[in-house]
Amino acid sequence: MDGGGDATGTDRTDADGPGPDAGANTGPGRHRSGGGDGRASAPARAGTDGPLARSTGNGGTDRTDTAPAGTTRRRGPVVAALMLGMALAALDGTVVSTAVPQIVGDLGGFSVFSWLFSGYLLAVTVTLPVYGKLSDTFGRKPVLIVGIVLFLAGSLLCAAAWNMASLIAFRVVQGLGGGALQGTIQTIAADLYPLKERPRIVSKLSTVWAVSAVAGPAVGGLLAAYADWRWIFLINLPVGAVALWLIARHLAEQPRERGPRPKVDWPGALAIFLTGTLLLTALVQGGVAWPWLSAPSLGLFAGSAAAAALTVLIERRAAEPVIPGWVWRRRTIASVNLALGALGLLMIAPTVFLPTYAQSVLGLGPIAAGFVLSVMTLSWPVSAAYSNRLYNRIGFRNTALTGIGAALAVLLAFPLLPYPGEPWQPALIMLLLGAALGFFQLPLLVGVQSTVPWAERGTTTASVLFCRQVGQSVGAALFGALANTVLAARLGGSGDLDSVSHALANGSPDDGLRRAVAAAVDHVFVGSAAAAGLAVLVLLCLAPRRFPVIKEPQPDG
C-alpha cells in the first residue's frame, strides 16, 4: 500500500545506509515554505530536486537541507531554555490536578471543573498545526517567544481568577501558549542537532516529562496545603521568564531571504480551530455532560464534520495553507501521523485508568498509586536515549516496529495479572511499557523530522503532535465508554467511573466493586493492545522500509 510518494524520484539516505524510498514518485516539487504542492518556490528545484540536490554518483541525488537552520551562539543555554519551556507545559496538568479540591472549595463550580483540563487540552490541540505553519513561515524564535508570553499571561490571569468561569477562560489562554511551546520546542530541538545527535536532546526533553510526572503532584500538593492554590500558577512566572530571556539572548536564526511578504492563511487557521473545538468538545463531554446519542453530541459531531469540509475547501484554495496537502500525501509523514495517533489512543489505559486500578483494586494511597504509573516515565527516556543505537543498524521503521511490538505484548500481559495481586506487578508492567514505547516514539519523531527541510519541519512536527493529541481525546472517550459499560454490566447496571471515585473518597470499596474495576481496566488494556496492533499494521503497510532522510548541514554552535 502506498499512501502517496514521499520523495521526488531521488535516492536519499536512511539511518541505516543509502536506499530509495519504496514509495517515491515523481510528483511536483515542494514549496519552500511547506505551503504548496508544485507552486513556484525559492530557490526553485530544477529536474528532480533543483539547486538543493547534489550528485551522488549513483544515478540519483542526495538531498541536502540548505534552508535556514536554527543557529546559536551557544547551544547549552538554548537547550536549558527548551527544557524550562517544556517543564512549563509538562508540569501544568499534574500540578493543577492535585489542587482541584482547594480550587473548587474557594471558587465553587464543581460541576464544570473538568473544563480546567479540557479547555487547556482543546486550546493546545487545535493551535498546534497553526503554530507549526507560523514557525515555518516566520521562524521558530518569534513563535516560541509569543507562546511563552501567552502562557505566562494566562498563568498570571489564572492566579487572579475570581470564579470558576474566569479560571477556565484563562486556562484556555494558557493553552494557546501551550500549543506553541509543545510544537516549537520539538522543532527547534531538531534544528539544533543533526540526526546522529538528536536522540540526546529528545531524551532530555523526555526526561523533563518524566520528572514532571513524579514531581508535579508533590509540588501541587505542597503549594495547595501550605500556601495557596494561586501559587500553582504564579510559580510559572519566574521559570518562564528565565526561558524567555535565554531564548531571546541565545537563539539566533539565520536571516531569511528577502522576498514577498509571507501570506498567513487566517481563514484556514480559524476553520481548523473551529473544527477541532467542535470535535474535541464532543469527545470530551460526550457520555459525561450528556449521553452520546443526545442532541448536543449529535449536533457537535455534525458541526465538526461540516467545519472539516469547510476546512478542506479553504485549504485547497489557500496559497499558503496551514495544513498543506503534502502532510497526508507523503507516505512517511502520513504513516507516522497515524502511528502516533494510535500511541495517543493506547496511552489512555495507563495514564487515566491505572491510578484508579491501583487505589481501588490494590488498595494503595494516591501517592503510591502515582508511583506505579511514574515508573513508566522513568524507563521511557532511558530507552529513547539508546534507540539510536538500534535505528542506526536496522532503520527507523524497524526500530519502531520492535518497540510497538513489545508494547503490544506488555499490554496483553496486564489482564493476566492475578487478582488482587501485588503492587510490584503492575509497576513492572509499566516499567516494561515505558521501555518499549521509548523505542517506538522517538525513532518515528526523529525519522520524520529528518525527511523534510527546515521550511517544512515545523508543519511536520506539529502534524505529528496534533494527531497524537487527537488520539488521546478519542481514546479518553472510547475507553471511558468501554469502562463504564463493563462496570455497569458487573454491578447490575448501577456503576460507572463516578461511583468508583465516590467509593474511594468515602473509604475502601467492597470486593464486588474492586472486581468490577479490575475487569473494566483489563478490558481497557485489551483495547490499548488493539491500538498498538493498529500501529503495527500502519507501519507494516504504509511506512517505507527506509525513511528518505535529507542530508543536513551541521548547525553552528
Side-chain angles (χ1 to χ4, degrees):
M1 297 176 61
D2 187 348
D6 210 64
T8 51
T10 67
D11 285 351
R12 304 195 205 175
T13 304
D14 190 12
D16 58 349
D21 179 3
N25 67 11
T26 54
R30 292 179 233 154
H31 194 276
R32 172 76 177 273
S33 67
D37 295 293
R39 299 180 178 89
S41 60
R45 289 189 171 98
T48 54
D49 285 279
L52 294 186
R54 59 192 176 96
S55 175
T56 59
N58 59 4
T61 56
D62 197 8
R63 298 256 330 258
T64 302
D65 179 9
T66 57
T71 61
T72 63
R73 299 176 180 91
R74 287 162 49 204
R75 279 195 304 197
V78 176
V79 171
L82 296 183
M83 295 179 71
L84 288 174
M86 188 64 77
L88 289 175
L91 280 168
D92 185 79
T94 55
V95 172
V96 174
S97 63
T98 57
V100 165
Q102 289 77 14
I103 294 173
V104 171
D106 188 15
L107 300 180
F110 180 80
S111 61
V112 295
F113 85 88
S114 64
W115 274 98
L116 290 176
F117 308 97
S118 300
Y120 180 86
L121 174 66
L122 285 170
V124 169
T125 304
V126 300
T127 56
L128 272 169
V130 177
Y131 284 126
K133 178 62 179 177
L134 291 176
S135 75
D136 284 343
T137 303
F138 297 104
R140 327 294 191 213
K141 185 174 180 176
V143 172
L144 183 56
I145 288 175
V146 168
I148 295 175
V149 170
L150 271 175
F151 190 92
L152 296 183
S155 298
L156 185 61
L157 291 170
C158 286
W162 54 90
N163 57 28
M164 186 60 74
S166 64
L167 182 58
I168 291 171
F170 298 147
R171 284 282 289 166
V172 172
V173 176
Q174 261 193 319
L176 295 177
L181 289 175
Q182 290 195 27
T184 312
I185 287 174
Q186 295 280 8
T187 306
I188 292 175
D191 291 341
L192 288 177
Y193 286 83
L195 178 58
K196 290 185 179 180
E197 299 180 31
R198 202 164 294 155
R200 289 168 46 196
I201 180 61
V202 177
S203 64
K204 287 180 180 179
L205 296 177
S206 298
T207 302
V208 172
W209 283 95
V211 172
S212 300
V214 177
V219 172
L222 288 172
L223 290 174
Y226 297 104
D228 185 272
W229 63 265
R230 298 177 190 274
W231 281 99
I232 288 173
F233 300 104
L234 291 175
I235 200 173
N236 292 332
L237 301 182
V239 176
V242 173
L244 192 62
W245 180 79
L246 290 172
I247 289 293
R249 180 175 176 82
H250 294 285
L251 179 61
E253 296 180 303
Q254 293 180 2
R256 300 178 63 81
E257 298 176 0
R258 291 188 176 182
R261 183 180 177 87
K263 296 181 180 179
V264 179
D265 178 25
W266 293 117
L270 291 174
I272 292 169
F273 193 91
L274 177 63
T275 302
T277 299
L278 293 174
L279 175 60
L280 293 178
T281 301
L283 293 172
V284 169
Q285 294 297 100
V288 178
W290 48 69
W292 283 109
L293 296 180
S294 65
S297 280
L298 296 177
L300 285 169
F301 280 120
S304 65
L310 177 63
T311 301
V312 172
L313 181 63
I314 293 173
E315 293 296 85
R316 293 185 66 178
R317 296 182 176 182
E320 296 285 348
V322 174
I323 302 182
W326 54 259
V327 168
W328 292 106
R329 284 197 294 269
R330 295 184 194 169
R331 182 179 175 185
T332 304
I333 301 175
S335 61
V336 170
N337 283 344
L338 293 174
L340 290 184
L343 173 64
L345 191 68
L346 74 85
M347 284 301 297
I348 293 300
T351 57
V352 175
F353 291 91
L354 187 64
T356 298
Y357 175 91
Q359 292 181 65
S360 60
V361 178
L362 302 179
L364 301 178
I367 295 177
F371 177 77
V372 171
L373 172 61
S374 67
V375 294
M376 177 181 69
T377 64
L378 300 178
S379 59
W380 191 319
V382 174
S383 64
Y386 285 95
S387 65
N388 65 319
R389 299 188 180 185
L390 188 57
Y391 68 62
N392 283 332
R393 292 177 176 271
I394 65 175
F396 294 116
R397 189 197 73 160
N398 290 340
T399 302
L401 276 171
T402 301
I404 196 62
L408 173 59
V410 171
L411 289 167
L412 288 175
F414 187 91
L416 303 178
L417 295 178
Y419 174 87
E422 299 292 333
W424 67 265
Q425 294 167 334
L428 177 61
I429 292 288
M430 291 302 101
L431 188 71
L432 296 174
L433 182 61
L437 293 178
F439 280 104
F440 171 66
Q441 183 186 32
L442 185 137
L444 291 181
L445 180 60
V446 171
V448 76
Q449 288 177 330
S450 302
T451 65
V452 293
W454 185 95
E456 297 174 351
R457 191 172 291 150
T459 299
T460 300
T461 303
S463 73
V464 169
L465 298 179
F466 175 77
C467 288
R468 190 179 66 186
Q469 292 281 85
V470 171
Q472 288 179 337
S473 299
V474 172
L478 181 64
F479 293 144
L482 174 62
N484 281 332
T485 300
V486 175
L487 283 171
R490 292 297 182 107
L491 299 175
S494 61
D496 57 22
L497 293 178
D498 288 334
S499 68
V500 174
S501 300
H502 292 315
L504 288 173
N506 296 329
S508 299
D510 58 44
D511 187 67
L513 180 56
R514 293 173 66 195
R515 290 184 178 274
V517 171
V521 177
D522 285 347
H523 279 74
V524 169
F525 268 83
V526 171
S528 287
L534 177 63
V536 170
L537 290 177
V538 166
L539 293 176
L540 286 175
C541 297
L542 290 180
R545 187 174 66 86
R546 294 181 177 180
F547 281 24
V549 171
I550 296 175
K551 291 279 188 180
E552 299 173 316
Q554 288 284 349
D556 298 337

